[in-house]
Amino acid sequence: MMESVGVYGFCGCKAKNKMKCDSRWEIAASETAPTSAYSSPARSLGDTGITPLSPSHIVNDTDSSVSEQQSFLVVVAVDFGTTSSGYAYSFTKEPECIHVMRRWEGGDPGVSNQKTPTTILLTPERKFHSFGYAARDFYHDLDPNEAKQWLYLEKFKMKLHTTGDLTMDTDLTAANGKKVKALEIFAYALQYFKEQALKELSDQAGSEFENSDVRWVITVPAIWKQPAKQFMRQAAYQAGLASPENSEQLIIALEPEAASIYCRKLRLHQMIELSGKAAVNGYSGSDTVGAGFTQAKEHIRRNRQSRTFLVENVIGEIWSELEEGDKYVVVDSGGGTVDLTVHQIRLPEGHLKELYKATGGPYGSLGVDYEFEKLLYKIFGEDFIEQFKIKRPAAWVDLMIAFESRKRAAAPDRTNPLNITLPFSFIDYYKKFRGHSVEHALRKSNVDFVKWSSQGMLRMSPDAMNALFKPTIDSIIEHLRDLFQKPEVSTVKFLFLVGGFAEAPLLQQAVQAAFGDQCRIIIPQDVGLTILKGAVLFGLDPAVIKVRRSPLTYGVGVLNRYVEGKHPPEKLLVKDGTRWCTDVFDKFISADQSVALGELVKRSYTPAKPSQLVIVINIYSSEHDNVSFITDPGVKKCGTLRLDLTGTSGTAVPARREIQTLMQFGDTEIKATAIDIATSKSVKVGIDFLNY
């Protein structure tokens, strides 16, 4: 029996409708499956080949697995953030009540405790110890020499965005410089949330809550590439939230989509309008940024003890102003990334359609932390700061916590300075390292706007603090300007500003100044919890998102009849007197094409020889739209369908045997299937971006 048979074939003609194309598509079999997208996989062509029976067509498959409704008692959403994380849940029998997780232990002055820092601590033996405030406080209390043995990680989610060649073996670096597998850390974190949530649910129900009763939703940035989204799913499987056999138990939700779903439910008293086009909550536009937001924060603070939020089963007032075809932008500004998504309303159900594929970049509030670090480099020297991080990792964490609470006090109209406490070990270690005092370093540094106060603090002028925000905010505004110039994004009615960084008055003011005259700018009151609550609503009704944009071009590698003058000579392969063009990329769907949830693209093939025993269809993806060959730069293999054609003895196999290939799009996952119509044998595969 042949070991494997590679599938190739696409007419490559320019006919708009493939029905009108009279070129024959041929798919032939090769002895060996391709090992690299850049070698020519079809060179060792076998004696058998298959020819497509029909052109591509799209069917809306209503029986698809996307619409299968498994019954769950509760939906638990996990907002796994760069800087802070949390979970919320809702019982399917009471969908209007969203419960935000119990109060966490610990906490910082001036920082709300609805979420916990995304920090994790492993023992010197690399076993999970603690997460969040507990991890941070335990690490802080360790003796400095002992602390060097423990593995402390924070802000590690950004690694999934910044790693170009993410795999299951990608490493993270702990504060002590030691490497640890990223998949392990993400799985530990998700397992922690699973245990916390199940414990809370069991306490509330008065009996043991089973994981099988829970539908899990994990939020990820929309701008993440496909490998990062798949990585999060793999980590969830490893943590036991769901399994590949029961993949519907876990939904990977896109953060701006979740925010969008929650924003539809907003009532007027639950939001603040910045644009000054109307007075909301009794505030006029001019005083909203300062006073309005402060009052709203007070309102939230009073309600914080109650962790149950009522979501009325109605469309909010703002939303009811939207008509069929109206567009709005969701700006999700978090700790690590900023995601910009444009949605359009589809009536009567008010379903959402993604109008323009998500854009954004690493412009989260972490950018402000990096600017602070650069300022410290300037004052104390990069060599010292880098050494201090390694030698006194817990003290470095302390310093960044002190900065975080002052960062939250930055505001456009602030006049008094902000004081940042330097840990004693910083002052002490600097003296040993340089031979002179911190005060001396500040005097020498020529940084006028940072002074030393006798209480052991760095005293920053408000302008100095605002300057740290500027590069990040400028990047966000510039990105939004680019977006607003796209024809699809003209005539936007609303801009919803959500995510933890949206709490920053400096960002609010900048967005209002730049876009207040183009659209209405809305901030939900509990802006840091918007995504979490929206993710719960999404888990209760996943069908609310109807149309997405495909982030990649997908297709299979195929063989064509070689046409002189049209196909490159180096792609010519002659076998048994037939001239083939190898490595042609047969497109299923293009990058940025609209795809409805549950949409299927279908192809039918037939083996050229009845003796063929196996077919292998290799699936490829690319960020580019105009892909001709699977050997083009940027084309990556991301799936293989291997269909066994044996076992047909005794059954009448038609002369032209049909092999159907289906690809299902629209969900955050993509599934491919090949079916041998004669025997009803089928094989399925999830598109895999991590293992090829």
Side-chain angles (χ1 to χ4, degrees), residues 340-342 354-359 483 549-551 591-592 623:
L340 314 178
T341 310
V342 186
E354 187 182 353
L355 197 66
Y356 184 75
K357 73 174 178 187
T359 58
L483 184 68
R549 295 269 168 173
S550 174
D592 208 22
E623 290 183 17

Side-chain angles (χ1 to χ4, degrees), residues 327-593:
K327 305 165 194 172
Y328 62 94
V329 179
V330 177
V331 180
D332 169 21
S333 45
T337 52
V338 167
D339 255 346
L340 314 178
T341 310
V342 186
H343 280 157
Q344 189 172 35
I345 302 292
R346 298 174 73 192
L347 297 173
E349 306 90 346
H351 286 142
L352 310 181
K353 174 182 178 181
E354 187 182 353
L355 197 66
Y356 184 75
K357 73 174 178 187
T359 58
Y363 319 128
S365 60
L366 278 186
V368 186
D369 298 2
Y370 294 141
E371 289 300 317
F372 178 60
E373 217 172 295
K374 275 160 54 182
L375 179 65
L376 294 177
Y377 283 174
K378 203 169 168 186
I379 299 169
F380 303 108
E382 185 173 349
D383 55 343
F384 166 72
I385 295 295
E386 290 307 316
Q387 191 66 17
F388 179 70
K389 280 186 198 173
I390 294 163
K391 295 287 187 202
R392 300 281 187 276
W396 172 255
V397 170
D398 271 1
L399 174 55
M400 291 314 286
I401 291 166
F403 173 67
E404 179 68 28
S405 75
R406 302 327 296 143
K407 180 171 96 177
R408 286 168 184 267
D413 49 1
R414 189 182 175 101
T415 51
N416 52 331
L418 297 117
N419 294 328
I420 297 157
T421 307
L422 282 183
F424 171 73
S425 63
F426 184 99
I427 298 165
D428 183 52
Y429 192 68
Y430 184 79
K431 196 163 176 69
K432 284 178 186 158
F433 190 88
R434 288 272 190 252
H436 58 245
S437 69
V438 163
E439 194 177 351
H440 178 79
L442 271 160
R443 274 204 309 272
K444 258 183 61 189
S445 70
N446 298 327
V447 178
D448 298 335
F449 40 78
V450 182
K451 303 277 183 242
W452 177 247
S453 89
S454 52
Q455 292 91 7
M457 297 187 208
L458 291 179
R459 178 165 287 174
M460 289 181 79
S461 70
D463 287 349
M465 180 60 93
N466 295 1
L468 299 183
F469 279 78
K470 193 176 184 320
T472 304
I473 289 176
D474 285 354
S475 296
I476 295 171
I477 298 297
E478 189 183 334
H479 217 91
L480 268 167
R481 280 217 172 94
D482 289 349
L483 184 68
F484 270 81
Q485 276 161 10
K486 302 270 187 293
E488 305 96 320
V489 187
S490 58
T491 66
V492 160
K493 267 203 173 173
F494 294 101
L495 184 153
F496 290 100
L497 195 55
V498 302
F501 195 29
E503 292 177 355
L506 290 163
L507 176 60
Q508 293 171 21
Q509 188 197 44
V511 172
Q512 182 187 352
F515 306 104
D517 57 346
Q518 291 178 49
C519 59
R520 293 169 64 181
I521 297 161
I522 308 288
I523 305 181
Q525 270 190 1
D526 46 353
V527 65
L529 297 177
T530 306
I531 290 156
L532 197 46
K533 294 182 196 171
V536 173
L537 294 172
F538 187 37
L540 291 166
D541 179 18
V544 66
I545 302 283
K546 282 293 183 206
V547 179
R548 283 207 178 102
R549 295 269 168 173
S550 174
L552 297 170
T553 297
Y554 294 96
V556 293
V558 297
L559 280 170
N560 281 357
R561 289 298 175 95
Y562 187 84
V563 179
E564 205 71 53
K566 187 173 87 170
H567 294 134
E570 67 272 15
K571 296 292 181 190
L572 172 63
L573 175 70
V574 181
K575 195 76 178 174
D576 297 338
T578 304
R579 291 156 65 82
W580 298 100
C581 176
T582 64
D583 306 335
V584 179
F585 184 97
D586 173 18
K587 196 184 290 183
F588 269 64
I589 207 155
S590 299
D592 208 22
Q593 191 174 328

Side-chain angles (χ1 to χ4, degrees), residues 156-369:
F156 48 85
K157 182 182 165 190
M158 274 305 277
K159 182 82 174 186
L160 298 197
H161 179 67
T162 54
T163 305
D165 53 349
L166 186 68
T167 70
M168 307 287 257
D169 294 320
T170 296
D171 284 325
L172 296 172
T173 307
N176 61 1
K178 289 184 179 167
K179 296 255 190 288
V180 59
K181 290 271 170 284
L183 191 68
E184 240 169 79
I185 295 300
F186 280 82
Y188 275 145
L190 290 170
Q191 194 176 347
Y192 173 77
F193 280 116
K194 176 188 155 192
E195 286 166 9
Q196 292 288 320
L198 286 176
K199 189 171 184 316
E200 182 170 342
L201 289 166
S202 299
D203 290 351
Q204 199 155 331
S207 60
E208 201 63 30
F209 225 87
E210 296 296 326
N211 187 61
S212 56
D213 295 328
V214 180
R215 162 167 263 164
W216 293 94
V217 182
I218 299 174
T219 61
V220 299
I223 52 164
W224 268 14
K225 292 195 172 13
Q226 295 301 102
K229 292 173 187 171
Q230 185 188 335
F231 186 94
M232 203 53 124
R233 183 169 276 277
Q234 292 299 334
Y237 289 160
Q238 194 162 313
L241 273 68
S243 66
E245 299 72 44
N246 191 15
S247 60
E248 302 77 42
Q249 190 177 358
L250 169 67
I251 296 174
I252 301 289
L254 306 181
E255 287 165 5
E257 283 187 354
S260 196
I261 292 163
Y262 180 65
C263 288
R264 333 162 38 157
K265 303 275 190 182
L266 283 176
R267 307 306 305 269
L268 284 177
H269 63 274
Q270 295 170 313
M271 62 195 171
I272 297 148
E273 180 157 358
L274 290 187
S275 46
K277 291 208 174 178
V280 176
N281 283 359
Y283 317 135
S284 68
S286 58
D287 65 15
T288 301
V289 171
F293 211 71
T294 312
Q295 286 176 42
K297 278 184 163 172
E298 264 315 306
H299 174 75
I300 298 161
R301 207 166 280 132
R302 287 197 298 275
N303 289 349
R304 191 159 286 138
Q305 296 310 314
S306 153
R307 293 174 310 102
T308 300
F309 294 85
L310 283 175
V311 179
E312 295 169 62
N313 197 17
V314 294
I315 297 297
E317 286 95 340
I318 286 276
W319 215 262
S320 56
E321 291 180 31
L322 290 170
E323 294 160 6
E324 171 84 43
D326 276 349
K327 305 165 194 172
Y328 62 94
V329 179
V330 177
V331 180
D332 169 21
S333 45
T337 52
V338 167
D339 255 346
L340 314 178
T341 310
V342 186
H343 280 157
Q344 189 172 35
I345 302 292
R346 298 174 73 192
L347 297 173
E349 306 90 346
H351 286 142
L352 310 181
K353 174 182 178 181
E354 187 182 353
L355 197 66
Y356 184 75
K357 73 174 178 187
T359 58
Y363 319 128
S365 60
L366 278 186
V368 186
D369 298 2

